[in-house]
Amino acid sequence: MAKNTSSNVFRTLDVDQFNEDNYKEENDTDPAALGPNDSLITSLLAANKPVEALTHLLSGATLGIKDQAARTASLTLAMRVLMAIKVSQIDDAVAQLDNESRDVLMKFIYRGFEVPNEGSSAHLLVWHEKVFTVAGVGSIVRVLTDKKRV
Amino acid sequence: MTTVHNFGVSPISCHSWSGDRKSLALSQNSNEVTLFSSSGSDWKQTGLLDQHDLRVTSIDWAPKTNRIVTCSSDRNAYVWVLDDNNVWKKTLVLLRINRAATCVRWSPEENKFAVGSGAKIISICYHEKEFDGWVSKHIKKPMQSTVTSIDWHPNNILIAAGSTDFKVRVFSSFVKDVEARPSPTEWGSKMPMGYLMKEFSNSSAGGGWVHAVSFSPDGSKLAWAGHDSSISVADAANDMLVMKLKTNLLPMCSLTWIRPNTIAAAGHNCVPYTFIVESDAVKLGSAMEEDKKKESSGKTSAMDLFKNKDKLGQNELETKLNFTHQKQIAEIRIVGGQKGDVDTFSTCSLDGKIVVWNLKTLAGQMKGLKI
């Protein structure tokens, strides 16, 4: 077969480094607030008050944290809270939230879809439907456009 | 009531009306701009501006001086003037950009126009007599990405630009050779060329391209539509307070002020919506069209019903949207009246239609519509 005799070392170069035109992300410093009070939420869950746990979780959630471990931890906590709330309680829980919290909730729901456990997706789908009826397509658009992920 | 003008099946990417509203310039997602004149209820093609090599991205027709400016992805803009033989002749514009031009707007006095581009530059163009063409001055800093939309302040100097770097900025475009020094406004008093008066971020969560910007009729407020399905209004007279409404709808692509405190916006929802601007918040008004639910024809035979169920999985194939426009609306333009006091406005859409909305009759018809 024909042998490639020319150098293709250039393929290992990152051309974007040399292009001054690139859009540089604003390097925001990590958000100062460390996120919701984990112990408070776990204690509320243990005390069988998952709806309150949800309100605390959502109002305290910080977007744009760069530390992956922290993000995974907050996702695991969020999933625990969402699974703890029974289907019949979801409607009330969603109605109690304000618009900002609903947007954050939708972001958690989609992140939950990304890492499915047994039975989690089905429950998340019910959550998704309930939040969608209240918050509309706009909340889903914001999951996609907001650069600061939950 | 709405009047629907059908121009075929190609999407209409941009349009602009002549000063007397009898002629319409539009581009159907191609490198040509077609001019139509209305004679009664029909539209006759009266001109073709076909100098561009690539897709025409924006058209603006100056009402007082009757000049058309077009800009395109081919990094050019042309100013077209009607000569004595009723033929549109192009004039050269030196934009000096190395990326596509995305939007163009005449200034209120029509002695300058601004072109936004993918080169992260806004070109302010004015006519140079000796050169007999349009030369440009650049506004560069601090834009970091493509400029998507431009709107002029009534004082002919300030410009608002929305960009894909998630920010809205107000610049001064003062050109010494063309105009007198402006008097101070709510946006600031120093206004040298290219000076950034104010910068607004679309979202604290850091996202959403800005699709459209519009100054209020008196220039004290600036409204913009972001891709995060939000409408925001900044009030310069009220200490730069930014009021943001995150809607439940799909993102809007274009907006304008129809009353001193009411905005009409349209976009991916295929129907215009009104937004009421109060002193500290923006509220959703209503859609300008009711969902026209088709009654299913009761005459489908049982065989057709089961055939459809088998083939399609549902009883009937409903592909039509329940609105006049079938695809997203690209642009809103004022037809009758002016900003802040609009009687009729038009929307052009990717379904090939231009629909003219008459606010007076709509307000009478739709009880929920508050204008």
Side-chain angles (χ1 to χ4, degrees):
Chain A
M1 298 296 283
K3 186 170 155 198
N4 185 358
T5 48
S6 61
S7 164
N8 43 11
V9 173
F10 71 89
R11 294 189 188 278
T12 55
L13 280 179
D14 178 10
V15 194
D16 286 337
Q17 278 181 320
F18 303 106
N19 184 6
E20 311 124 16
D21 259 359
N22 273 346
Y23 171 67
K24 286 176 190 52
E25 296 263 346
E26 269 175 22
N27 289 322
D28 280 342
T29 47
D30 273 324
L34 280 170
N37 197 339
D38 287 356
S39 48
L40 173 61
I41 293 183
T42 359
S43 58
L44 281 171
L45 278 178
N48 218 2
K49 294 199 188 121
V51 181
E52 276 186 43
L54 181 68
T55 341
H56 277 284
L57 173 79
L58 294 178
S59 48
T62 22
L63 307 175
I65 307 175
K66 299 250 170 63
D67 179 21
Q68 284 306 320
R71 288 186 66 208
T72 333
S74 77
L75 175 63
T76 335
L77 187 60
M79 286 303 108
R80 279 183 57 196
V81 177
L82 290 181
M83 294 304 144
I85 301 184
K86 293 200 264 297
V87 175
S88 46
Q89 298 171 303
I90 294 184
D91 268 321
D92 290 323
V94 173
Q96 280 178 26
L97 300 170
D98 67 350
N99 289 333
E100 292 289 328
S101 302
R102 276 193 277 263
D103 281 344
V104 180
L105 175 57
M106 197 52 121
K107 291 189 171 89
F108 272 122
I109 294 174
Y110 273 95
R111 274 210 77 204
F113 281 138
E114 287 172 36
V115 273
N117 306 319
E118 343 82 38
S120 72
S121 288
H123 195 69
L124 280 178
L125 275 174
V126 183
W127 269 104
H128 186 280
E129 187 205 336
K130 303 283 182 203
V131 181
F132 176 70
T133 358
V134 183
V137 210
S139 61
I140 301 182
V141 175
R142 279 184 279 282
V143 173
L144 299 171
T145 54
D146 281 344
K147 300 199 75 200
K148 294 203 174 123
R149 309 282 184 86
V150 77
Chain B
M1 273 313 289
T2 57
T3 336
V4 180
H5 304 289
N6 218 317
F7 289 96
V9 291
S10 311
I12 299 180
S13 36
C14 45
H15 72 303
S16 188
W17 295 86
S18 63
D20 59 1
R21 300 320 193 213
K22 293 215 181 71
S23 298
L24 178 62
L26 53 84
S27 175
Q28 290 181 295
N29 208 31
S30 71
N31 59 342
E32 294 174 344
V33 174
T34 3
L35 302 177
F36 290 93
S37 282
S38 72
S39 44
S41 57
D42 265 334
W43 289 94
K44 261 218 212 61
Q45 178 169 338
T46 53
L48 182 68
L49 314 175
D50 61 351
Q51 200 61 34
H52 284 293
D53 301 319
L54 294 175
R55 190 177 61 96
V56 171
T57 47
S58 186
I59 308 174
D60 202 18
W61 197 325
K64 293 180 251 187
T65 50
N66 205 33
R67 292 185 287 213
I68 303 179
V69 61
T70 60
C71 74
S72 149
S73 305
D74 65 0
R75 305 171 273 130
N76 283 337
Y78 294 110
V79 174
W80 304 82
V81 182
L82 199 58
D83 70 5
D84 304 320
N85 302 334
N86 244 359
V87 177
W88 288 92
K89 280 270 179 307
K90 75 172 201 292
T91 345
L92 190 57
V93 176
L94 280 183
L95 282 183
R96 300 181 288 129
I97 53 180
N98 60 358
R99 293 286 188 279
T102 51
C103 53
V104 65
R105 288 288 180 263
W106 283 106
S107 70
E109 314 262 307
E110 295 166 23
N111 52 359
K112 302 184 286 190
F113 59 88
V115 182
S117 69
K120 306 186 260 197
I121 290 174
I122 299 179
S123 293
I124 307 292
C125 303
Y126 57 98
H127 193 92
E128 180 79 48
K129 272 238 175 55
E130 296 121 29
F131 171 61
D132 194 29
W134 296 78
V135 293
S136 62
K137 287 211 191 311
H138 284 170
I139 300 182
K140 271 198 197 166
K141 293 202 168 73
M143 278 181 293
Q144 293 171 296
S145 191
T146 307
V147 176
T148 50
S149 52
I150 283 191
D151 191 42
W152 286 87
H153 187 283
N155 75 352
N156 210 55
I157 308 282
L158 296 177
I159 268 192
S163 164
T164 55
D165 63 359
F166 323 120
K167 303 239 190 312
V168 171
R169 300 183 175 87
V170 179
F171 289 103
S172 156
S173 72
F174 171 61
V175 175
K176 231 180 17 237
D177 311 323
V178 172
E179 53 206 348
R181 211 165 277 284
S183 39
T185 64
E186 309 91 350
W187 296 96
S189 36
K190 263 179 33 155
M191 286 184 251
M193 172 62 173
Y195 184 69
L196 175 65
M197 312 295 288
K198 205 73 191 72
E199 179 179 280
F200 300 102
S201 176
N202 181 42
S203 166
S204 55
W209 285 3
V210 178
H211 286 305
V213 292
S214 186
F215 273 110
S216 63
D218 61 355
S220 64
K221 295 198 261 280
L222 178 60
W224 68 88
H227 198 69
D228 59 346
S229 298
S230 68
I231 302 277
S232 313
V233 178
D235 194 348
N238 192 4
D239 209 24
M240 298 296 173
L241 170 72
V242 177
M243 308 168 261
K244 189 174 164 96
L245 171 66
K246 292 192 183 173
T247 69
N248 286 356
L249 313 161
L250 289 174
M252 301 293 177
C253 298
S254 183
L255 52 75
T256 187
W257 294 76
I258 48 175
R259 295 281 178 273
N261 282 313
T262 320
I263 295 172
H268 293 275
N269 303 288
C270 310
V271 64
Y273 280 82
T274 53
F275 292 89
I276 321 280
V277 181
E278 293 169 4
S279 51
D280 61 348
V282 183
K283 302 240 164 74
L284 173 65
S286 56
M288 292 212 185
E289 206 173 14
E290 279 150 1
D291 220 355
K292 299 190 271 253
K293 290 241 169 55
K294 268 183 359 231
E295 275 138 32
S296 52
S297 54
K299 295 226 180 100
T300 25
S301 68
M303 168 153 149
D304 284 334
L305 209 66
F306 284 111
K307 214 191 228 168
N308 277 334
K309 264 218 162 99
D310 178 41
K311 224 192 319 175
L312 309 165
Q314 60 205 36
N315 288 345
E316 268 170 41
L317 190 57
E318 289 162 16
T319 48
K320 275 194 81 173
L321 286 181
N322 293 332
F323 301 119
T324 311
H325 277 303
Q326 295 297 303
K327 294 241 177 81
Q328 75 251 35
I329 293 173
E331 247 186 350
I332 283 189
R333 291 290 211 159
I334 297 174
V335 180
Q338 56 231 5
K339 210 191 251 190
D341 186 23
V342 173
D343 296 320
T344 46
F345 65 85
S346 65
T347 51
C348 76
S349 157
L350 270 56
D351 60 4
K353 296 200 195 103
I354 291 191
V355 176
V356 179
W357 307 75
N358 187 324
L359 288 177
K360 287 205 190 66
T361 43
L362 274 175
Q365 253 192 341
M366 292 180 55
K367 295 193 188 67
L369 190 62
K370 288 172 260 189
I371 298 187

